[in-house]
Every structure is written in structure tokens, then in C-alpha cells.
Amino acid sequence: MTTEIPRYFLEMTAQEVRLCGLLLQEHFGDVVEKVGTHLIRSGVLTLRALAHETKLALDLVKKSLCVLVQHGMCTFGPGRRGPAGPVEYRINCERILHMLRYPRYIYTAKSLYGDTGELIIEEILQRGQMTMSSTVKTVADRLTHNMPEGQSMDYSEVVSAFSRLVETHFLQRCPPMASAGSSSSGAVDTSLPVVTQPAEPESNPECYKLPYINLTGQGKRRRSSEDGEDDQRAAKKAKTDNSQCGDEGIYWQVNFLRFHLHFRDQAIISAVSCKLDQTSSEIVRTMLRMSEVTTPAHAAFTQALSANEIFRSLPSNYNIARPILDQYLTLLVDDPMEFVGKTGDSGGGMYVVNLHRALANLARATLESVVQERFGSRSARIFRLLLRKRHLEQKQVEDFAMVPAKEAKDMLYTLLSENLVQLQEVPKTPDYAPSRTFYLYTVNQLPTARLLLQHCYKTIGNLIERRLYETKENKRLLEKSQRIEAILASLQATGAETAQLTEVEEMITAPERQQLESLRHHINKLDSSENQVDETIFLLESYINSTQASR
Amino acid sequence: MAGKGRGIAAFTFNIEALGLSRGSMPETQRGPTPLFPQIEYKPGPLKAGEDEDYMRALKQEMRGRMKDLPFNIKPHAGKGDVERYKEKYTREIKRIEDDNWTPDWNYLPKELKPQKKIIRKKRDTKTNAKVSSKDKEELLNKLDALEKKGDVKSDDEEDEAKGLKKENDEEGEEEEIEGEFDEELEEENDYIANYFEDGDDYGGGSDDNMDEATY
């Protein structure tokens, strides 16, 4: 399996830096944002240098680094001066950008493993990493809270959901330190780096091994404010007691790569379903499922599966005859999208899913769609033409696209000015004389995909900034609304009369309500847009990464 | 492109080859493009559905939740800031956690651990022997006084005072000057001071079993 160049070794673009900054600020506050952004821009820094350059208090910088490391967004290791010198810290931008996708990870866990799976993933994402026992307790408590009075969630159910997530590799152990501890011989010198940079999680053979934990019981219900004090104190006592469950020091993190493979598979299946039909997509789904465990993460295609095997593995509610399956497979192979390829004839025919080809096609479809939506269908036709035919002269474009000359020119120049189309000179004579040179229009998929990806980062940055602006503009009103909600909640808890409640509710006037409603509507739209743009980002990133991996 | 003809724009290449003619050239840019240009084609509607709504709700919830977790580091707030009345209720509702998060120090460089500042002063061993016991008395008295006051910072200082005692027992040569010490510590542990509202949750729980250092 080829090793990918970790992205954080490559230069980050201005848009990526901006977006990372906004995400850090949103989730961890201004201090961590300042530390993180500075570290992104500088590359690698020591603690002292970082504190000095950001002009922040040393303890704040320390805390920020702890938070970032906890969430896997920062790694550390021996610096340029070797193990004896100061530790150097480096940001993992890619990991920061994954925060955009948190809702998708959580929702996927929900669809695969129910509410329990959903909460497990949510808790671990929010805290960066957790032990199995603390995850189980926290999730059981949360589930219990939503259950009717008297019922509670048993720990064993949560343990079983957790186990399934680990078995299917959606959760993995945090990579252990290369060498444990440091010279703690009482030396006061605290600047000794503990260890070298943690290795890839999967290089640890115990990566997916569940620890034996000694944990029985049920989730505890959190009570309302009245008895809250006692219960909370008791709960906290329980937390501090934190009886050894047997898995101390074993932390779990979300395996983003696994989720991404799942999303990729989903995208392929849905594309097949759109292009062909439901049955074809079920066949492809079966093939992907069969090769889940055996296909390495960056493989260009799945392992070869025989038609016989595929037939046996089809879901039981799909009753298609064997010859029909063969027909479908032929259809899939012949389709220009090349989702499926035939690699042999034994076993009734050997077939693979062309993963990289599929990603390239999905990316291409995305690019074409963008051009169509922004510049109209005729420009899209020209764009598609250039993608397929590679190099065309002005006249050829006009003819093949069946667009009148003047309009074709306009469209080409617009696309050119947007950098979606490039002009290439091909000289007929060695002197590059303009009158004897071909000027060819061309589209190159990979650089265009990169360009579009940057646009997406910029777009999300803009969406976030707009949302912050809207929130700021209505700050006074939002605070008032929150205050009133808080008062209402406490009144309800203490059993106030309806009249009192109404009185409080009426403290917000009708026009204010309308303004709040409108604000909510805008923010919802902005948030949904972020999620949707992230889908495009995922496709483009997957495509771009696949081209790098196969080099 | 500067051409030979004075004042006449001439191109170095044959524009006919590109299918252009003088008259059909697009207008030259007169300045930067407008910030919000007119778009010819309206963007399509957002995807709407159960999935999308749920994910949007997840996003909003998570955003709100992350603000309340101890990972959200606030710059040093002004001391002596009176807790607003509403905060008691918003805490309840939002389940704001203790700012008390202790990472597992086994997985982090030692340099990231918060340090307790100790001011060392050299003194006569003889004087110190006597002073130590006196100090102890003082400290014990101070502890009592503080307990009675039920001061917000008392827990803090209790801890430090206890730490002081230990230190004094072990190493007679050092002495903490309480005035200065307070300030230094306040700076270091401003973070802690924020959540000791009623002293109930002193030494409150942390996710991990590490009680080595508390933020």
C-alpha cells in the first residue's frame, strides 16, 4: 500500500488557512484560534517560540496546545536539534477541516448503529478522544435522560454498540506513544520531550482490539435544578471515584478514513443508481461490501470477484436469476462511466469496481455541473467537449458544440477568465510566429478540480463569516431571547402558573419575534449550505487524493 | 501591447487566426470587478429533506455544545467580575461543565504541564527551623480564618497553603511569601478560580483518572 504524503507537509493555501482559523475559533475560542493559525502559518514551532510570537501568556499557549493535541489537530515531536532539544509542534490542517463534516459522521453512525452509535460518535468527536468506559457511562446517561421516567439504559447495550463500531473500524485506538514516559528521575528539567511523534494508528497491531472492561450498571438520570445539587454532587463523586474499569490509558478516536471510504462507496452506489437503475446499484453495493475488508484504503480498484461469488452474496430479497446478473454485469462494464471492469473469465467472469475511475468521473460530473449552473447549458456543452476532446481550436469548438461563432467566443472568454479553460499555443514554425501558431483551448481536469476546491473553501469561509455577522447584528435580541428562555425554563421547573409564563413570553414583542424567526431562517440556510458545500469538498478531495496516491 | 504604429493598438499576432475581429473585442477592464457581481443564472435551491434538516440540527447543537466544553479556552477574564444572575440558570440549562479538564499527561510533552511557581529564597537554617514552626502556626490560623470566611478563593489558597506546608516540612530553606505567591498563583490558576462558585465541587471530577494536575 502506498503511503500518502501527509497533507500537513504541503503548503496550505490562504483560503484553507482562513477556513481553519474560523473553525478553530468556532469550536475552541479565540485563544486556540490564535495559537492554531499562527502555527499553521509558521509550519513548525517550539512552545517558547509560539508563546513569544503570539504574545499570549505561556499558560494559555500550553492549554491551547493540549486541546489541539487532544483532538488530533496538532502533533509534536523532537525538533531539529534532536531528542535533546525542545519539542516542536505542527498543526494538522486536514484534521481541522474535518470538523465541517462532523454532522455527517454522526448521522452516518446513527443510520448504521442507531441512537446509541450516534451518541458514541458525537461524544468522541466532541472530546477528541475518550476511553471506552467513560464513553459508555456518558452515553448511557444521555440516553437515560431521554427515556421515560423509571427507565434507564444499561451499560451493556452501549458496550455492544461501541464494540460494533470498533469491529467495523469506525473507531480505532489512539496511537500509543513510541516510548513511554520520560526520565522522571526527579529532574526538574521539564522541557524534555516525552516521545517521538505518534505513529499511524494502523501500525499498532492492537488498533482494533477491545479492552476487557469491568463495567456494569445503568445510565444515571440527571435531575432538574431543585434536587440537582445533591444528585450532581453524587454524580461527580461517582465520577471522581471512577472505579478502575480496566481500560485506563486506552483512548479511542474516530477513524475518519473509514468514514470517508463509506462515503465514497455511498457516492458510487448512488451514482450507479442514478445513471442505471436500482438493481445495478444493489449489485455494486454487494461487490463493495464483499471487498470491504480486503481492499486497502487507497486502492485503485477492489479485489476481483467472480460472478458466482457475487451471485451468492446478493441480498436475499433480491431475487434475480443468474443470467440476469450476468447481463447487468455486462451493462455495468460497458457503461462509459466505467464503474465496473472485467478482469478475467474464470468463475463466470471476474469483476472489479474501479474506485479511482469512479472518483474521477464523479469529480468530472461535479465540474460540469458547476459550469452549467454558473454559465448556462451551452457553456457546459463547450466545457464537456473540451474535457473529452482535450485540445480544440476556436473553429472546432464552434462546430462541435453547435454554437454560433460570436456566442462561442464570448463563452470561451468567460470560461478563460475564470480559469476553467486554458489556452495552449502550438507553434507550426520554430519562430513561434503568431500567424503560424495553433491556439488551442483545453481543459485539464485535475488542476480545475483543485481550483474548484479552493473556491469551496472560500465559499464556506464566506458562509461562516456571514453567519457570524448575522448573529452579531442581532446580538442584543438574541441575548434577550436567551434570557427569557432561561427564565421560562426555571419558572416551569418550579411550577409557575400559566399566567406568569405568558407574562414572561410577552416580554418579546411581535416584531421582535418576527425578526428572530427571520434570523433563524437565515442561519438555518447558511448552515445547510455549509453542509452541502462540504459534500462537494469531499468528492473533490477524494478525487485529488486518489490521483496522488497512485503516483 | 505596444505596436509600431503610434497610438494605434497593434497586435503581434494575427487576430484572424483566433477568429477575432477588431470590432468584436470584449471591453477592457476599467477597474476591479464588482464585489457582488450580477449573476446571470440563479443558483439552484438547497437540498432539502429529513437528512439535511437533521444534519443541520446536529451542526447547530454541536456548535452550541462545544462552547460549553472545557476545550473552549477563554482569555483571562477580569477578576472580581460579578457573576450575572442569569448565569446560574444558563449553566443549568446548558450543562456547562467544570472548566476542569485534565489531559492524560502520559501522552503529552511534560513541558505542557502547568507549573507551580515557587519562589526560592535562601535563609539561615537556624532561623528557618524556628520560622518553619511559626509558619505552620500562621498557616493553620490562616486556614481557619479562611474557612470561616468561606471565601471564594479560600479553596484555592487552602490547597496552596497545604502545599506550602508540605514544602516547608521537606525543604526548610524555601519560603513562600504569601502576598506575592497569591498573585503568581492567581495568574496561573485564573482558570480554576472561575468555577469555584460555592466550593462544593472542589477537586471535582475529571474525565480521566489523572489527578496529577488540575487546570
Side-chain angles (χ1 to χ4, degrees):
Chain A
M1 186 181 121
T2 47
T3 30
E4 258 185 277
I5 306 165
R7 267 205 80 195
Y8 46 83
F9 280 131
L10 310 171
E11 284 293 312
M12 288 295 133
T13 66
Q15 292 304 333
E16 287 168 16
V17 176
R18 172 193 179 216
L19 185 52
C20 286
L22 287 168
L23 289 169
L24 285 175
Q25 183 193 45
E26 190 160 86
H27 290 91
F28 304 121
D30 292 318
V31 176
V32 176
E33 185 269 320
K34 202 160 176 199
V35 171
T37 307
H38 190 81
L39 206 44
I40 298 175
R41 292 212 165 99
S42 319
V44 198
L45 280 179
T46 61
L47 173 62
R48 294 240 161 265
L50 192 52
H52 175 73
E53 288 170 30
T54 54
K55 306 214 182 355
L56 286 169
L58 189 65
D59 71 316
L60 285 180
V61 178
K62 286 183 188 178
K63 283 172 194 164
S64 305
L65 287 171
C66 287
V67 167
L68 289 169
V69 172
Q70 168 83 3
H71 282 81
M73 295 174 191
C74 171
T75 52
F76 57 88
R80 278 156 281 208
R81 289 197 237 144
V87 181
E88 285 186 344
Y89 300 89
R90 179 187 277 118
I91 287 276
N92 183 353
C93 269
E94 199 176 41
R95 179 66 185 81
I96 299 178
L97 292 173
H98 287 162
M99 286 202 277
L100 283 171
R101 215 163 286 151
Y102 280 6
R104 199 171 171 189
Y105 300 131
I106 299 170
Y107 193 61
T108 303
K110 185 190 177 78
S111 59
L112 292 172
Y113 300 107
D115 288 346
T116 318
E118 177 191 2
L119 290 187
I120 292 174
I121 296 292
E122 189 178 76
E123 283 293 323
I124 298 184
L125 282 174
Q126 281 177 349
R127 288 176 191 274
Q129 43 180 282
M130 285 174 88
T131 59
M132 181 168 164
S133 44
S134 50
T135 313
V136 168
K137 286 185 209 159
T138 314
V139 170
D141 287 349
R142 279 183 73 179
L143 287 166
T144 304
H145 189 249
N146 291 331
M147 289 164 93
E149 192 72 38
Q151 288 182 27
S152 58
M153 173 62 77
D154 198 275
Y155 285 166
S156 59
E157 274 189 62
V158 186
V159 169
S160 117
F162 193 101
S163 309
R164 267 176 291 152
L165 281 162
V166 172
E167 277 154 20
T168 46
H169 293 199
F170 285 104
L171 284 176
Q172 63 188 179
R173 287 201 195 191
C174 296
M177 290 291 118
S179 58
S182 74
S183 62
S184 41
S185 51
V188 188
D189 181 5
T190 49
S191 63
L192 268 179
V194 176
V195 291
T196 51
Q197 204 149 328
E200 283 298 308
E202 293 210 336
S203 58
N204 170 17
E206 306 212 313
C207 186
Y208 299 109
K209 181 168 165 211
L210 283 162
Y212 171 73
I213 58 171
N214 180 11
L215 185 64
T216 46
Q218 283 136 350
K220 318 256 179 311
R221 187 175 294 274
R222 234 190 90 250
R223 307 222 175 256
S224 57
S225 46
E226 290 260 286
D227 354 308
E229 310 272 334
D230 297 316
D231 269 285
Q232 273 186 39
R233 222 169 302 166
K236 264 168 201 141
K237 277 262 168 64
K239 251 182 165 181
T240 33
D241 290 344
N242 225 352
S243 38
Q244 312 289 335
C245 297
D247 70 337
E248 284 67 38
I250 302 177
Y251 297 98
W252 298 85
Q253 65 189 17
V254 169
N255 182 1
F256 295 102
L257 187 56
R258 179 66 182 91
F259 274 100
H260 293 168
L261 294 178
H262 181 85
F263 296 157
R264 176 201 67 190
D265 292 352
Q266 268 184 331
I268 295 176
I269 292 166
S270 127
V272 173
S273 170
C274 282
K275 184 99 200 292
L276 298 170
D277 70 349
Q278 174 79 341
T279 312
S280 314
S281 72
E282 280 308 312
I283 294 171
V284 174
R285 189 200 299 272
T286 307
M287 289 175 77
L288 286 168
R289 196 175 16 94
M290 287 164 72
S291 33
E292 226 165 39
V293 204
T294 48
T295 310
H298 305 293
F301 33 78
T302 62
Q303 63 155 159
L305 302 163
S306 72
N308 295 335
E309 285 177 294
I310 299 172
F311 184 66
R312 279 199 294 271
S313 313
L314 281 174
S316 40
N317 52 333
Y318 255 87
N319 255 326
I320 58 172
R322 180 56 207 274
I324 307 287
L325 170 68
D326 287 335
Q327 282 183 331
Y328 267 109
L329 285 168
T330 312
L331 252 173
L332 281 162
V333 169
D334 289 342
D335 190 274
M337 293 287 264
E338 295 180 281
F339 289 117
V340 174
K342 188 168 184 183
T343 60
D345 293 305
S346 57
M350 301 296 279
Y351 297 91
V352 293
V353 178
N354 288 322
L355 298 165
H356 282 193
R357 187 117 299 268
L359 284 172
N361 285 330
L362 286 167
R364 181 171 49 77
T366 307
L367 298 181
E368 289 171 3
S369 170
V370 168
V371 173
Q372 177 156 317
E373 293 303 312
R374 281 185 69 193
F375 304 106
S377 43
R378 287 194 296 174
S379 297
R381 200 153 73 215
I382 292 176
F383 185 79
R384 273 197 295 272
L385 195 62
L386 286 168
L387 261 177
R388 276 169 180 75
K389 300 269 188 187
R390 291 319 213 97
H391 296 97
L392 288 176
E393 278 186 301
Q394 171 80 41
K395 191 84 181 47
Q396 289 172 302
V397 172
E398 288 165 27
D399 293 340
F400 284 130
M402 294 179 288
V403 175
K406 187 164 197 302
E407 281 152 55
K409 258 175 252 166
D410 269 334
M411 291 174 188
L412 277 167
Y413 301 151
T414 310
L415 291 174
L416 197 62
S417 65
E418 295 280 343
N419 247 315
L420 291 164
V421 153
Q422 281 82 46
L423 202 52
Q424 183 147 19
E425 295 174 4
V426 178
K428 290 186 213 172
T429 56
D431 66 354
Y432 280 82
S435 56
R436 294 184 292 274
T437 310
F438 285 114
Y439 291 94
L440 302 173
Y441 290 99
T442 183
V443 175
N444 219 318
Q445 188 167 323
L446 185 55
T448 311
R450 283 191 213 272
L451 174 71
L452 205 59
L453 183 59
Q454 291 306 311
H455 281 332
C456 288
Y457 291 141
K458 183 174 180 182
T459 304
I460 298 205
N462 289 350
L463 287 167
I464 294 178
E465 295 223 9
R466 180 70 200 202
R467 177 168 40 80
L468 293 173
Y469 169 80
E470 295 268 331
T471 311
K472 195 166 156 204
E473 281 292 288
N474 292 281
K475 188 171 167 192
R476 192 198 64 85
L477 187 55
L478 274 171
E479 280 180 352
K480 177 175 177 184
S481 152
Q482 276 168 6
R483 258 203 318 274
I484 295 188
E485 259 181 56
I487 296 175
L488 275 174
S490 68
L491 278 181
Q492 271 171 343
T494 55
E497 293 167 9
T498 336
Q500 280 180 302
L501 293 174
T502 328
E503 209 182 301
V504 172
E505 275 170 8
E506 282 172 3
M507 283 166 68
I508 303 190
T509 66
E512 280 179 336
R513 253 179 233 287
Q514 220 169 21
Q515 202 179 334
L516 276 172
E517 196 41 52
S518 159
L519 175 67
R520 230 177 295 267
H521 178 70
H522 288 164
I523 293 192
N524 283 350
K525 238 184 166 170
L526 292 166
D527 277 327
S528 285
S529 307
E530 273 183 57
N531 284 343
Q532 201 166 321
V533 177
D534 182 63
E535 282 181 30
T536 308
I537 286 180
F538 174 72
L539 274 176
L540 294 173
E541 273 181 353
S542 301
Y543 161 62
I544 293 169
N545 287 341
S546 75
T547 59
Q548 286 177 332
S550 49
R551 265 187 215 140
Chain B
M1 283 207 153
K4 273 197 183 155
R6 274 188 213 98
I8 301 169
F11 297 103
T12 57
F13 57 94
N14 180 11
I15 53 175
E16 298 298 332
L18 277 170
L20 293 171
S21 64
R22 279 287 159 113
S24 69
M25 291 289 279
E27 281 191 18
T28 49
Q29 282 277 74
R30 283 209 175 89
T33 46
L35 195 53
F36 295 106
Q38 296 286 35
I39 44 173
E40 246 181 278
Y41 300 89
K42 286 214 142 264
L46 281 174
K47 278 201 285 191
E50 227 181 88
D51 299 350
E52 283 75 29
D53 286 342
Y54 195 84
M55 283 197 273
R56 187 205 63 227
L58 279 174
K59 190 187 190 60
Q60 291 170 341
E61 269 172 38
M62 189 161 238
R63 192 160 60 223
R65 182 91 192 105
M66 295 289 277
K67 286 194 163 54
D68 301 333
L69 287 176
F71 305 118
N72 199 311
I73 296 182
K74 315 205 175 25
H76 295 306
K79 279 175 271 180
D81 207 24
V82 176
E83 184 198 272
R84 303 262 173 269
Y85 180 67
K86 73 163 189 240
E87 279 191 26
K88 183 176 170 204
Y89 295 98
T90 45
R91 262 169 186 246
E92 257 315 299
I93 293 172
K94 290 181 176 182
R95 300 187 283 142
I96 292 178
E97 297 188 5
D98 286 348
D99 294 315
N100 190 359
W101 165 63
T102 312
D104 186 342
W105 295 112
N106 285 329
Y107 288 84
L108 289 167
K110 291 267 185 283
E111 67 179 5
L112 292 183
K113 250 174 141 162
Q115 299 298 314
K116 282 194 188 153
K117 282 198 186 154
I118 299 172
I119 307 158
R120 294 167 190 267
K121 254 196 175 180
K122 291 268 174 182
R123 273 221 180 183
D124 257 23
T125 359
K126 232 189 179 181
T127 339
N128 266 345
K130 281 192 187 162
V131 173
S132 302
S133 48
K134 263 197 195 160
D135 254 354
K136 280 189 206 171
E137 293 291 359
E138 273 183 56
L139 285 166
L140 284 169
N141 289 337
K142 192 166 203 287
L143 284 173
D144 288 341
L146 286 172
E147 268 176 31
K148 282 179 195 152
K149 264 198 258 167
D151 193 9
V152 170
K153 294 177 193 159
S154 72
D155 291 331
D156 215 337
E157 287 180 11
E158 245 181 64
D159 190 24
E160 298 318 325
K162 281 183 194 152
L164 279 186
K165 245 181 77 180
K166 268 195 197 155
E167 243 115 44
N168 275 340
D169 284 341
E170 292 164 7
E171 298 154 299
E173 284 211 352
E174 286 153 40
E175 194 203 64
E176 328 281 331
I177 303 170
E178 290 204 299
E180 274 184 56
F181 189 60
D182 283 353
E183 271 177 59
E184 304 287 359
L185 263 182
E186 289 308 294
E187 207 175 283
E188 282 283 294
N189 296 315
D190 220 5
Y191 208 46
I192 301 180
N194 282 342
Y195 64 80
F196 276 153
E197 293 303 338
D198 49 8
D200 273 345
D201 306 322
Y202 176 59
S206 58
D207 277 351
D208 313 307
N209 254 330
M210 298 294 137
D211 284 332
E212 292 166 24
T214 351
Y215 262 137

